[in-house]
Amino acid sequence: MKRSALNSQGFSRRSALKGLAATTAMAAVPFRASAQDVTLRWWSPQAAPAQVEAYNTQIANFEAANPGVKVVFETTSDEGYAPQLAAAFSSGEVPDIVTHLPSFAIQSYYANGLVEPFNDVIDAIGADDFFPGANDVFKAADGNYVGTGIGNSAANMLWLRTDLMAEAGVDKAPETWDELRAACQAMQKDGIYGAPLPYGRNSMTTLIFIGFIHQAGGQVFDTDLNVALDNQGTRDALEFYTAMRELCPPGATNYSWGEAITAFVSGATATGIYTGRVLGNVNAQNPDIADSVTCTTYPRMSTDIAPWTFNDFPSVFIPAQSPNKDAAKAFAASLFNPDGYIQQLHAAPGHVLPVLQSINNNPEYQANAIIQKYPEEVELMASSAAGGFNLGYESADHPSNEKAGEVVGSGAIADMVQRVVLNGEDADTVIGETVATIEGIMKG
């Protein structure tokens, strides 16, 4: 097995394009005139040091091309962005641009009138340069686009240690749940656990478990967006998730994203579940295992069921209450200029994958050491993410679900997991109560 423009005098159309000229298929964003200097506030939960360094490059490039405009980066968190944005929307003190939130969150905000349509920014970036279908998940019921992807992600890849597999006699990557459990049992020894699945009351448990439901042939909503959680797939997913608990570290009861990636990267678990950030972290933090790390799509209950990859479609959008929409649109479009965008993607190679075809084919992007070291893994993540889904876009047959963000934020699905798996409550009763909770959200 291989390891395998803007200026201090005004926002003119011509000067606004100065910061956009490096992209391949670039049209103009229509900007209104303004005579004031502007400070843009940029929020993102993605703030690893290398990413912030890339953001600083993008900010510096934009400010240099647009005198009179200042951009200030501010960090949110994966688990805390919802209350932070709720407070901002309530007070009117909103950021001017937000990146790296999941697509379903933006659909919810847009449905409540809190997000500016993004059509003209997509046109400015170059609509034809996006991978086919890349913006479908961002299309609202009224036909407008609520944002676009700053990248793609394959958030539930199965990460494997080929050295531990060889020692345990596991001769191939698991494709089914039975194969995964058997592999984890064989590799769980000498203080190493089989898997770092999350069982905490948090968004990771919710989002990962939604994947398990689909990997069992179930769904949370039907294609008319009626709650369809009460199905055999949910029961099978709960049963398997329960069976995996003994193969996860004791602390998995409270695991979220950070704990899950650390468990695998540190060598505490034989398998992992995460995006491509694993590759950079392993090479930086635990290089001894770097030549023994690979990934595959996460196993499903049966090979008769298609893989279901969770792509949260990390996004960029502009709050409707921003007083600086024109400048924010210019800055949003500039984030896709090759120099800064490639540096941002290289800050966590494989973690956030390009949404533009021209960037994916750019020799500078392909020259990254991690991408060159793990070409098969990066290609698998890219193809899996391109065909990926999330609760706001459960399948190609589902319409966008503008209530998905509220469902995730409610913690109802994570509660269901904890009640059944950790507390041993009756699955039928808990599923029924969870359905009622989600129906209340959908009607609210």
Side-chain angles (χ1 to χ4, degrees):
M1 180 182 302
K2 182 186 178 296
R3 172 242 5 103
S4 330
L6 300 175
N7 58 41
S8 58
Q9 311 306 306
F11 300 144
S12 74
R13 179 186 181 95
R14 180 178 178 183
S15 58
L17 289 174
K18 288 170 61 179
L20 313 180
T23 55
T24 53
M26 188 60 65
V29 178
F31 299 111
R32 297 187 303 273
S34 174
Q36 299 178 351
D37 288 351
V38 168
T39 297
L40 298 177
R41 297 172 63 204
W42 174 11
W43 279 17
S44 174
Q46 294 286 310
Q51 288 176 295
V52 173
E53 184 177 347
Y55 304 157
N56 288 337
T57 295
Q58 292 175 303
I59 290 170
N61 290 346
F62 185 75
E63 290 178 344
N66 301 284
V69 180
K70 179 178 176 61
V71 181
V72 177
F73 178 77
E74 301 172 11
T75 304
T76 59
S77 72
D78 284 318
E79 294 294 344
Y81 74 79
Q84 288 173 297
L85 272 172
F89 287 135
S90 177
S91 68
E93 295 295 321
V94 298
D96 298 286
I97 183 171
V98 183
T99 62
H100 297 94
L101 296 196
S103 62
F104 53 75
I106 315 174
Q107 289 283 9
S108 294
Y109 295 142
Y110 184 83
N112 287 288
L114 300 173
V115 170
E116 177 77 2
F118 213 73
N119 308 31
D120 47 2
V121 184
I122 291 173
D123 289 339
I125 296 164
D128 292 340
D129 195 11
F130 286 86
F131 282 102
N135 285 312
D136 289 353
V137 69
F138 295 100
K139 195 168 188 176
D142 64 5
N144 283 316
Y145 291 98
V146 303
T148 193
I150 196 71
N152 280 327
S153 69
N156 63 336
M157 300 301 291
L158 174 67
W159 291 93
L160 298 164
R161 288 273 303 277
T162 56
D163 56 337
L164 298 180
M165 291 172 65
E167 291 174 11
V170 179
D171 59 4
K172 71 180 187 70
E175 295 183 77
T176 67
W177 285 352
D178 285 345
E179 292 174 352
L180 173 61
R181 179 166 165 76
C184 288
Q185 286 176 319
M187 291 186 286
Q188 180 158 305
K189 57 185 177 181
D190 301 327
I192 298 176
Y193 284 88
L197 293 175
Y199 293 83
R201 191 188 186 280
N202 54 51
S203 67
M204 185 185 186
T205 300
T206 294
L207 299 172
I208 292 300
F209 193 76
I210 289 167
F212 274 80
I213 293 171
H214 280 270
Q215 288 150 6
Q219 56 188 352
V220 180
F221 295 93
D222 65 21
T223 54
D224 293 320
L225 298 185
N226 299 305
V227 181
L229 185 70
D230 192 345
N231 62 70
Q232 189 58 41
T234 300
R235 289 172 174 78
D236 290 336
L238 285 166
E239 182 179 351
F240 180 70
Y241 219 71
T242 301
M244 288 294 292
R245 179 64 189 92
E246 67 180 9
L247 298 171
C248 300
T253 303
N254 296 307
Y255 271 16
S256 187
W257 302 103
E259 294 82 6
I261 188 175
T262 298
F264 179 72
V265 169
S266 68
T269 60
T271 70
I273 183 167
Y274 210 81
T275 68
R277 187 184 289 277
V278 165
L279 296 174
N281 285 17
V282 162
N283 279 267
Q285 300 170 21
N286 194 2
D288 288 345
I289 69 170
D291 290 335
S292 301
V293 169
T294 189
C295 67
T296 188
T297 53
Y298 210 85
R300 58 272 197 204
M301 189 171 71
S302 164
T303 55
D304 294 333
I305 300 169
W308 194 87
T309 298
F310 168 47
N311 183 354
D312 62 356
F313 297 94
S315 62
V316 51
F317 71 95
I318 295 169
Q321 294 167 287
S322 165
N324 307 303
K325 293 189 187 73
D326 296 332
K329 289 180 178 183
F331 180 61
S334 79
L335 293 177
F336 295 85
N337 290 351
D339 49 1
Y341 188 40
I342 289 173
Q343 184 182 349
Q344 185 183 134
L345 295 170
H346 283 175
H351 175 60
V352 180
L353 302 155
V355 295
L356 300 183
Q357 299 174 80
S358 62
I359 298 297
N360 189 62
N361 298 329
N362 190 309
E364 184 181 348
Y365 170 72
Q366 293 292 338
N368 176 266
I370 294 291
I371 293 172
Q372 290 188 333
K373 183 173 182 178
Y374 302 94
E376 294 181 9
E377 288 81 1
V378 172
E379 177 57 31
L380 177 61
M381 286 187 285
S383 61
S384 299
F389 301 100
N390 59 43
L391 188 60
Y393 184 57
E394 282 194 78
S395 79
D397 296 325
H398 280 74
S400 292
N401 185 346
E402 65 186 34
K403 293 285 190 174
E406 295 177 48
V407 174
V408 172
S410 74
I413 293 175
D415 278 343
M416 177 181 70
V417 171
Q418 287 203 325
R419 291 177 63 188
V420 174
V421 176
L422 301 184
N423 300 342
E425 296 183 42
D426 177 70
D428 289 341
T429 300
V430 175
I431 291 171
E433 293 175 357
T434 305
V435 167
T437 297
I438 296 175
E439 285 178 340
I441 294 170
M442 297 299 291
K443 294 174 183 177

